[in-house]
Amino acid sequence: MKIFYSFEKLNAALNKRRQDKKRIGFVPTMGALHMGHLSLIKQAARENNTVVVSIFVNPAQFGPKEDMKKYPRPLKNDLSLCRRSGVDFIFLPDSKSMYPRPYSTFVNVEGLNEVLCGSVRPGHFRGVATVVAKLLNIVRPDVLYLGQKDAQQAVIIARMINDLNFPVRVKVMPTIRENDGLALSSRNAYLSGKERNDAVVLSKALLLAQTLIDNGQRQADRIISRMKQLISKKRSARIDYAGIVDLENLMPLKKIKPGCLIALAVKIGKTRLIDNVVVNQGRFSKQRKPCPFKYV
Ligand code: PAF
């Protein structure tokens, strides 16, 4: 496994791989890797001859009230996980090289940026789309691997790729969960023992929604209100949003339709967690295939 700090050197190494007709799979990350990231890396290793992972805590996606300095950076552990999971190249740029001064160009995926998480984290997805566009230009992979846990991010990136004609395929892989259903996230590390137990309520609420749908409920507002009732039973939980939306344009739906997205953002204590399911994708435990997102 080779570590690159500059895009010139990464480019030279990747050009050589391209000349040798090697397929390149790419997993962008902000580090603090967990089994969710590793599942993307392993999928990339199965399907490509070269796997590139970027580790970059992207300042452009943190709001003024979000503390980027607190973001976990266990680099040594991340590198050893990557080494053991079949990564060929690590790209470790710094902020100065990613955002040289003066810097003026940002990618805004209009209409998708402002809803769900975008409504409470203004500017967040502009930062995500910008850095991913830059990373795609630097790495020029054949396939980009994203996790379904960040479903809105995946929808936005897939739309950007389609709109701006990036020559890359996207694969959105299922969320990896703890045995009790909690979706893996770097933020779970911030939870106290009691909060960790309470956090299971997100996946429980999504399972409740699936059960209601299986039993014939089609009214989105009824499902949302039952999910909210369940979550509100936990005193540590404060709901940011619970939404049922179209997977293509993220607009709220009145009635459930196959393939729609049920998404949640809930603060457990001070930690904001997100989770989601795609209706008719199958129960959590059975999900193994890429999520059927539009453009993917
Ligand atoms: O999901 C993440 O870790 C980040 O948003 C990403 C895609 C690496 C962009 O910084």
Side-chain angles (χ1 to χ4, degrees), residues 259-271:
C260 67
L261 179 75
I262 309 183
L264 276 177
V266 179
K267 270 206 178 124
I268 301 288
K270 288 192 173 141
T271 307

Side-chain angles (χ1 to χ4, degrees), residues 138-151:
I138 293 164
V139 178
R140 288 186 285 136
D142 296 285
V143 191
L144 170 70
Y145 294 85
L146 299 170
Q148 186 188 320
K149 191 181 77 64
D150 296 302

Side-chain angles (χ1 to χ4, degrees), residues 101-169:
R101 301 227 169 210
Y103 188 90
S104 334
T105 309
F106 292 89
V107 180
N108 235 328
V109 184
E110 291 177 11
L112 301 181
N113 265 357
E114 306 84 12
V115 296
L116 301 176
C117 286
S119 67
V120 272
R121 301 184 73 190
H124 170 68
F125 289 114
R126 179 179 95 135
V128 170
T130 302
V131 82
V132 173
K134 288 170 71 72
L135 290 167
L136 288 176
N137 280 332
I138 293 164
V139 178
R140 288 186 285 136
D142 296 285
V143 191
L144 170 70
Y145 294 85
L146 299 170
Q148 186 188 320
K149 191 181 77 64
D150 296 302
Q152 183 173 12
Q153 166 170 289
V155 171
I156 287 173
I157 292 172
R159 177 76 70 85
M160 174 191 79
I161 283 170
N162 194 62
D163 288 356
L164 298 182
N165 306 95
F166 281 94
V168 61
R169 280 183 55 219

Side-chain angles (χ1 to χ4, degrees), residues 16-31:
K16 169 94 185 57
R17 296 279 172 133
R18 274 185 211 102
Q19 276 159 18
D20 296 342
K21 300 267 179 282
K22 305 283 191 214
R23 254 168 76 95
I24 298 167
F26 175 46
V27 183
T29 82
M30 299 213 298

Side-chain angles (χ1 to χ4, degrees), residues 7 94-106 134:
F7 12 104
D94 61 12
S95 290
K96 277 193 198 136
S97 61
M98 289 299 278
Y99 297 104
R101 301 227 169 210
Y103 188 90
S104 334
T105 309
F106 292 89
K134 288 170 71 72

